Each structure stands twice: as structure tokens, then as C-alpha cells.
Amino acid sequence: MAKQKEVQLELGVTRLPGRPCLGDVPLTPAEKQRRYRERQHHKNVTVNVSRDDVTTLSMLLTAAKFYGPRIGVDLDANSLQRLIDALDVSCGGAALK
């Protein structure tokens, strides 16, 4: 078993190296997983779009991809393509038809 090294702080208090726990006791693996899932949940956004608006939204994204740079609108081509692909996948491949 490896020896743990203590770190001397400025105030004369010693502690083990590493990040201190967020309370009196360390988190269990289940608590860590729950917090991770909560953080991941905030990274995605769910939007409900009616089927009637899918074609319109698809045409707008395609027009922005081709005509955006020509009219001076600075749009990231990778982001636009990712949005078009996500829309197409969510509609079962029928978004651009």
C-alpha cells in the first residue's frame, strides 16, 4: 500500500493531497453519478416542433447554410450542418423532402 503524503498549509494545518470532499463525508458512487447526470441534463435542450413546421425549419436552415455568407451573415457551417442532420434524424430522414 502506498504511503499518503501530507501537505503543509500556510496556517500550520496539515491535510491529505487532493480535492476535499463536499461535506463531512465523501460522496458515494451513486451520488456522484446522480450529480453527473444532472450536469449532463443541462447540456441538452429539447424542442417540440410541429410536423407542419419541420419543412419550413429545414428550408430556413438550408438557406442559411448556402446564402448566409453571401448576404454577410456569419454562421458556423459545422453548427448549421449539425442542426440540419439532427432535424433530419429526428424526422426519420424526411426533413428535407
Side-chain angles (χ1 to χ4, degrees):
M1 183 173 204
K3 293 183 181 180
Q4 291 186 350
K5 180 177 84 175
E6 290 186 354
V7 178
Q8 183 70 30
L9 299 177
E10 294 176 16
L11 301 175
V13 179
T14 59
R15 67 173 180 86
L16 296 175
R19 186 177 185 145
C21 57
L22 292 174
D24 297 334
V25 294
L27 296 175
T28 64
E31 291 170 329
K32 290 179 186 177
Q33 183 67 31
R34 181 181 52 84
R35 288 186 179 198
Y36 172 77
R37 287 183 179 146
E38 286 174 358
R39 287 192 310 270
Q40 294 303 312
H41 178 72
H42 294 293
K43 290 184 178 181
N44 294 325
V45 176
T46 302
V47 178
N48 294 324
V49 179
S50 69
R51 294 194 184 275
D52 298 334
D53 295 335
V54 168
T55 307
T56 304
L57 183 58
S58 174
M59 290 186 334
L60 286 172
L61 288 172
T62 304
K65 179 180 176 182
F66 292 111
Y67 297 113
R70 295 178 186 166
I71 61 173
V73 178
D74 186 27
L75 299 170
D76 182 26
N78 293 332
S79 297
L80 280 171
Q81 188 60 46
R82 191 177 65 245
L83 288 170
I84 291 169
D85 293 342
L87 184 64
D88 195 41
V89 168
S90 67
C91 296
L96 297 174
K97 295 179 183 175

